[in-house]
């Protein structure tokens, strides 16, 4: 039996994609978990930042930490609001400089449709795996988060920037040529930022440990159910996928204390 606080699964993409589910002092590897009967039991909450047992508000944080922590500020979701390059503090200027003032990638990815996004260069391909992208390509490399955000604001006029989780889980192939789409995207970059366009990037394909095709995935609400069990058949994005097509989103349940039993 394992017990711990849920947090985003780490991944390693080498020959194949491997997930690591961390619970307490244990690291469970996807190859070991898949095809096993798993039972999850909801025990309570533990804020990822302060370990408070208050109910999780958002992104694994209690309400207080969500509104105070530098890692949940609005510029995280909206990079164009970044201000560290101006030496202006939002919540914690040291943190903001460390995160914002480093190379950022503007990319196109295919989850269930083509979408535009921004991430730190050091976060690739992790960011693509977390969103369940089938493939993705770098469009431009910007020297900081703010400039990447300016590009994204323009590109959002032509591409989606959100993923429909149900459609993402159902999709198992891309019909879009992303290298062609990258050429289109170049046209939409702000003219003074076109010099950051990446002309040599190639499409990265990502294969998930999931053989079955899903028709009607349904989301598991562990807080309501208190416990559930099922045979794990695969993982995509941050979703554990069970034989009866129910899916458990580890990301949106960060900060929940659970017990896990394997059979
Ligand atoms: Zn907290």
């Amino acid at each position: 039996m394992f017990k711990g606080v849920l947090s985003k699964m780490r991944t390693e993409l080498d020959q194949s994609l491997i997930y690591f589910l961390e619970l307490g002092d244990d690291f469970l590897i996807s190859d070991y978990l898949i095809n096993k009967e798993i039972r999850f039991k909801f025990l309570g909450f533990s804020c990822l930042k302060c370990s408070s047992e208050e109910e999780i508000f958002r992104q694994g944080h209690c309400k207080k930490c969500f509104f105070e922590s530098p890692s949940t500020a609005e510029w995280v979701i909206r990079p164009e609001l970044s201000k560290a390059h101006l030496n202006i503090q939002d919540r914690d200027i040291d943190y903001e400089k460390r995160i914002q003032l480093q190379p950022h990638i503007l990319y196109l990815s295919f989850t269930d449709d083509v979408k535009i996004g921004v991430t730190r260069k050091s976060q690739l391909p992790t960011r693509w795996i977390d969103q369940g992208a089938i493939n993705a390509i770098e469009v431009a490399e910007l020297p900081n988060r703010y400039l990447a955000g300016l590009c994204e604001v323009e590109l959002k006029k032509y591409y989606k920037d959100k993923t429909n989780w149900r459609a993402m889980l159902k999709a198992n192939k891309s019909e879009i040529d992303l290298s062609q789409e990258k050429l289109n995207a170049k046209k939409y970059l702000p003219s003074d930022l076109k010099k950051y366009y990446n002309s040599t990037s190639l499409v990265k394909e990502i294969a998930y440990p999931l053989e079955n095709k899903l028709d009607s995935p349904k989301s598991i609400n562990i807080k309501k159910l208190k416990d559930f069990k099922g045979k794990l058949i695969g993982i995509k994005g941050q979703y554990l996928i069970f034989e009866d097509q129910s899916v458990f989103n580890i990301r949106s349940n960060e900060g929940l204390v659970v017990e896990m039993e394997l059979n």
Side-chain angles (χ1 to χ4, degrees):
M1 194 148 65
F2 305 92
K3 190 182 150 180
V5 184
L6 288 176
S7 63
K8 197 173 83 97
M9 290 180 282
R10 285 197 230 161
T11 54
E12 248 174 50
L13 181 58
D14 196 3
Q15 306 288 54
S16 63
L17 174 57
I18 299 171
Y19 283 88
F20 300 89
L21 177 65
E22 189 182 355
L23 274 182
D25 296 329
D26 299 295
F27 265 107
L28 296 136
I29 298 172
S30 45
D31 287 356
Y32 172 73
L33 293 174
I34 289 169
N35 289 320
K36 287 209 167 57
E37 286 280 338
I38 301 182
R39 178 174 182 172
F40 276 102
K41 199 170 157 189
F42 170 57
L43 301 177
F45 303 99
S46 178
C47 171
L48 295 182
K49 176 105 182 156
C50 76
S51 301
S52 145
E53 294 174 7
E54 244 178 79
E55 182 162 6
I56 295 299
F57 181 68
R58 245 179 254 171
Q59 296 176 30
H61 290 64
C62 69
K63 196 166 184 175
K64 181 172 183 292
C65 289
F66 181 80
F67 286 107
E68 287 177 4
S69 168
S71 64
T72 47
E74 209 184 351
W75 59 262
V76 177
I77 310 287
R78 297 179 57 200
E80 71 276 16
L81 301 178
S82 299
K83 290 199 168 64
H85 63 291
L86 302 172
N87 206 19
I88 296 176
Q89 168 166 291
D90 182 1
R91 294 182 181 179
D92 176 346
I93 190 69
D94 292 335
Y95 178 90
E96 284 144 15
K97 280 186 176 170
R98 200 163 70 240
I99 301 293
Q100 295 177 16
L101 306 184
Q102 59 172 291
H104 277 68
I105 303 295
L106 176 80
Y107 63 83
L108 289 172
S109 63
F110 187 93
T111 47
D112 56 302
D113 200 349
V114 183
K115 60 169 265 178
I116 189 78
V118 159
T119 192
R120 278 172 282 155
K121 190 178 185 182
S122 61
Q123 288 301 104
L124 288 181
T126 307
R127 180 77 199 101
W128 296 337
I129 297 166
D130 287 349
Q131 65 187 222
I134 292 169
N135 54 19
I137 194 165
E138 297 182 20
V139 175
E141 179 175 333
L142 291 301
N144 64 46
R145 191 170 185 87
Y146 172 70
L147 292 177
L150 291 188
C151 293
E152 190 187 37
V153 167
E154 278 308 304
L155 276 285
K156 274 203 268 196
K157 296 174 186 165
Y158 308 95
Y159 300 102
K160 293 180 188 171
D161 67 324
K162 301 259 180 330
T163 299
N164 174 323
W165 66 269
R166 203 172 259 117
M168 176 278 285
L169 288 172
K170 282 157 76 170
N172 63 351
K173 59 178 189 299
S174 164
E175 282 118 20
I176 310 272
D177 180 352
L178 284 185
S179 46
Q180 189 57 46
E181 207 55 57
K182 184 178 88 165
L183 295 171
N184 292 336
K186 184 185 181 182
K187 291 184 249 167
Y188 308 135
L189 288 173
S191 52
D192 56 333
L193 298 176
K194 279 197 204 305
K195 62 183 175 197
Y196 295 114
Y197 177 72
N198 182 339
S199 57
T200 57
S201 61
L202 300 171
V203 177
K204 175 89 177 164
E205 305 283 341
I206 300 166
Y208 296 88
L210 174 69
E211 283 167 25
N212 311 41
K213 185 167 174 359
L214 300 182
D215 304 312
S216 55
K218 41 191 188 299
S219 178
I220 294 169
N221 183 340
I222 192 175
K223 282 189 279 184
K224 214 162 95 185
L225 292 174
K226 303 297 177 201
D227 74 311
F228 68 89
K229 63 179 175 187
K231 184 181 170 190
L232 187 73
I233 57 164
I235 307 179
K236 188 179 187 188
Q238 284 285 328
Y239 285 84
L240 300 183
I241 298 159
F242 296 91
E243 199 172 28
D244 65 353
Q245 305 228 353
S246 59
V247 300
F248 185 53
N249 185 353
I250 297 290
R251 189 86 197 251
S252 66
N253 286 293
E254 281 186 312
L256 268 61
V257 184
V258 298
E259 193 177 273
M260 189 176 91
E261 216 176 303
L262 291 179
N263 282 305

